[in-house]
Amino acid sequence: MTTNAHAGHHTHAGHADTATQPAHAGHQDNHAGHGIDTNDHAAHQHHGKHAAPEQAATNGEHAAHAGHGGTHAAPTDEHAGHGDAHAGHAAGAPGGLLVTQDGYTLDLETTIAEPGGIDFRFRILGPDGTAVTEFDPIHDRELHLIVARRELTGFWHVHPVREADGTWVIRLDLPEAGAYRVFTDIAPRALGRTITLGADLALAGHYAPQPVPAVGRAAEVDGYEVTVDGELRAEGDLLTLTVRKDGVPVTDLQPYLAAFGHLVILRAGDLAYVHVHPNGEPGDGITPAGPEITFHTAVPGPGTYRLFLDFQHGDVVRTAAFTLTAGVAAPQHAHHH
């Protein structure tokens, strides 16, 4: 990959195409998806009975919001399944918050470093404590490494190389001292689905914490302007990102990791991680190569989120970043009995 500094950001695999994967993105959709039917609350005033106990627990606020009613009947089992599969996932917690999940552990060889070039090394340990070497690819790669500053002012999406013994290696260039979070998107073959593990990385030196960048729906990178339409909601909604260059809509985006765009969303405060893949795919005969890229996105609850869109044009991968807020899910009138 010979792309500029951004090259780093190959954007992640959007495993949210995760139909196959109950993991976070999918999980969120499933959980949150219940909210989508909120318009039929009224019809489901008995929704309290619908909510399986586990849901009431996992979803707290969602369960209270009748919206569930409609979608529930069938999904209860599937949820129970989810619940088991995700026991380590804090019963439906978002991805990226845990260093160990479902028997897999992100073992960083490098946890403290100096700013600048770092030979970053780590392993994924399996349930037996040894390094995992068998992974199913997610969007053309066995592993996607995302590194973000805790304040969400810096973001890198890169693809390390796996050595024979299962150690992953990559040269990272992290310019400033501070607190960083490292995420790995993986689908260990023995597990059969995607999980995201997260761990901390500290860069020594004078650290001046920054506020999360201001909320805004437009971003500029290398002469490209990207705007975002739609809302972040726990129950899910469509986000549309539109790419223009010098004011002209870009209609020849290039596929990057099997998609016209990849979107990673991180929540300020805990860095809960959501990775989404767009609707449609290059070569399907119906998805245009820009200027619009649409994503069905569900976030894990209210808060301030930083969105990072990776897109490729002119053989360079660039990242546009936005800050958006999500309000409390679904209206309170769902509480009547």
Side-chain angles (χ1 to χ4, degrees), residues 3 11 110 186 265 287:
T3 54
T11 253
T110 316
I186 49 172
I265 302 177
T287 305

Side-chain angles (χ1 to χ4, degrees), residues 20-21 55 80 106 129 132 136 141 158 163 177 216 230 239 308 318:
T20 54
Q21 131 208 349
Q55 270 184 291
L106 172 54
V132 179
D136 288 324
R141 294 289 191 280
V158 295
E163 296 180 340
L239 289 185
F308 299 96
R318 297 177 172 86

Side-chain angles (χ1 to χ4, degrees), residues 58 62 78 85 88 113 126 130 156 165-166 173 176 195 209-210 214 227 229 235-236 251 264-265 270 288 292 333 335:
T58 29
H62 295 307
E78 169 203 333
T130 64
W156 296 263
D165 70 352
D173 186 21
E176 297 172 84
I195 55 173
Q210 303 292 314
T227 53
D229 292 295
E235 59 268 36
T251 55
V264 166
I265 302 177
D270 64 358
E292 295 187 347
H333 66 257
H335 289 262

Side-chain angles (χ1 to χ4, degrees), residues 55-66 68 234 299-302 327-330 332 335:
Q55 270 184 291
T58 29
N59 278 347
E61 65 209 92
H62 295 307
H65 296 103
H68 267 135
V299 293
V328 176
Q332 299 303 306
H335 289 262

Side-chain angles (χ1 to χ4, degrees), residues 136-154:
D136 288 324
I138 313 168
H139 299 287
D140 298 350
R141 294 289 191 280
E142 284 192 348
L143 183 146
H144 296 261
L145 179 72
I146 288 85
V147 180
R149 294 198 63 170
R150 275 230 165 240
E151 297 96 328
L152 304 178
T153 52

Side-chain angles (χ1 to χ4, degrees), residues 254-332:
Q254 294 166 303
Y256 174 58
L257 301 175
F260 287 125
H262 290 272
L263 184 64
V264 166
I265 302 177
L266 297 171
R267 178 167 59 187
D270 64 358
L271 273 53
Y273 176 102
V274 180
H275 183 173
V276 226
H277 196 250
N279 297 336
E281 58 185 40
D284 63 8
I286 52 173
T287 305
E292 295 187 347
I293 313 169
T294 60
F295 298 86
H296 188 273
T297 306
V299 293
T304 297
Y305 291 85
R306 191 85 170 132
L307 290 72
F308 299 96
L309 172 75
D310 288 332
F311 64 96
Q312 180 164 305
H313 189 247
D315 299 325
V316 177
V317 176
R318 297 177 172 86
T319 302
F322 309 84
T323 302
L324 295 180
T325 55
V328 176
Q332 299 303 306

